[in-house]
Amino acid sequence: MKGTALLGALGVAGLTVGGAAAGTLDDVKARGMLNCGVSEGMVGFAAADVNGNWDGFDVGMCRAVAAAVLGDPSAVNFVPTTNKIRFTALASGQIDVLARNTTWTFSRDVNQQFDFVGINYYDGQGFLVPKELGVSSAKELNGKAICVQVGSTAELNLADYFRKNNMEYTTVPIDTVADAQDRYLAGECNVYTTDASGLAATRATFQNPKDHVVLPEIISKEPLGPLVRHGDNEWGDIVRWTLNALIAAEEYGVTSANVDELSGVTDNPEIKRLLGTSGSLGEMLGLSPDWAKRAIMAGGNYGELFEKNIGQNTPVGLSRGLNAQWIDGGLLYAPPFR
């Protein structure tokens, strides 16, 4: 569905967090639609085509939650958010979940009163430069003009890194990914810095991506994941375990192609509990027994979503790296379904 503009809806940002959060599951069911906050347009993660149809890695998370709760992966209203308004949109109740490259930090969790339900992409901040700049390391960026998004962790990390290395820089403040791309290509900044995944997504939109390089230094930890408001543990559990279901499904070999077959024939007790043919996990969440099955069918397991949207065979071209399953040397690990 087409994304909605926030417009005056964010004027209700003065609502208390607890008041906005109470009964989110009931609200979503009554509305028959999930309001999901996403990036305003990042190739591979969340972007709308000319017809307003959304696709991407984060979009897949939204559709999985809608499928788990409403039985319909298309029952999503995608709300484009910028760095400046994303938290206001969530706190005010304009959106039910924020599934947008957002870093889990202490202050966002505790002071801003949001609950991060898990990590769906382990990232770190990097630097994108034109090859013609002639640098091969971030240590060579002294005195450069750097595009960085206002109000992001990247802004703080940038200051810390340059201070630590006794370097100077000029900030070129940007508000959106599109703004960053335009200013960078126009030469208003020599460097663009954000999460390395975001740099890869931005470079993929360039006419000549090979003329630009992501420098080797990763200067921060950026655990990205969906978040909800404090105060509604029932809703937080649903989003958290939907993400875990996608991760676990990849580990167990459950895919969008074989989930129907496995739900009827498998003897694996963990898969049976995951798919709702054994136990009462759905009932515990206030959902139907096949909630996880529906989430997996919406767009595939974690690995399917990754490879389809941001993997090495896509324009974004990301390797799994830290985002591989724990059994493959990565950090992805879902708690047991029991």
Side-chain angles (χ1 to χ4, degrees), residues 35-247:
N35 292 329
C36 197
V38 292
S39 169
E40 74 279 9
M42 182 180 290
V43 171
F45 286 89
D49 63 19
V50 293
N51 296 315
N53 298 310
W54 286 82
D55 203 4
F57 183 71
D58 291 331
V59 167
M61 180 65 197
C62 299
R63 295 197 187 282
V65 173
V69 175
L70 301 170
D72 183 359
S74 68
V76 185
N77 179 37
F78 293 102
V79 182
T81 64
T82 64
N83 274 344
K84 286 185 176 180
I85 66 173
R86 55 183 166 169
F87 299 127
T88 305
L90 182 58
S92 69
Q94 172 72 4
I95 56 178
D96 306 307
V97 58
L98 181 62
R100 177 194 190 280
N101 55 320
T102 300
T103 303
W104 189 346
T105 70
F106 182 99
S107 61
R108 289 172 178 175
D109 192 317
V110 178
N111 191 48
Q112 291 183 272
Q113 297 193 329
F114 297 119
D115 285 340
F116 284 79
V117 300
I119 299 169
N120 71 342
Y121 193 91
Y122 290 90
D123 210 345
Q125 184 173 336
F127 299 93
L128 179 70
V129 300
K131 281 187 177 179
E132 64 180 16
L133 191 63
V135 301
S136 58
S137 168
K139 300 289 181 64
E140 301 173 51
L141 297 180
N142 187 38
K144 304 301 183 188
I146 301 180
C147 281
V148 61
Q149 285 187 304
V150 176
S152 66
T153 54
E155 190 176 25
L156 303 176
N157 296 333
L158 177 65
D160 289 347
Y161 182 78
F162 271 70
R163 186 182 304 112
K164 178 181 177 181
N165 288 283
N166 297 313
M167 299 191 300
E168 297 182 354
Y169 67 99
T170 302
T171 297
V172 180
I174 56 174
D175 292 322
T176 66
V177 174
D179 186 29
Q181 177 178 323
D182 292 343
R183 292 192 173 207
Y184 173 82
L185 291 177
E188 295 181 34
C189 55
N190 311 111
V191 186
Y192 174 35
T193 186
T194 189
D195 301 339
S197 63
L199 297 178
T202 298
R203 183 174 60 176
T205 67
F206 293 168
Q207 185 174 359
N208 298 300
K210 293 183 179 180
D211 291 342
H212 306 267
V213 62
V214 177
L215 297 178
E217 287 85 358
I218 297 296
I219 68 170
S220 69
K221 293 184 293 183
E222 304 295 328
L224 310 180
L227 56 156
V228 298
R229 293 175 290 274
H230 268 336
D232 191 343
N233 292 341
E234 180 183 29
W235 179 246
D237 284 344
I238 288 171
V239 181
R240 176 179 299 107
W241 284 96
T242 298
L243 172 59
N244 285 333
L246 301 183
I247 295 172

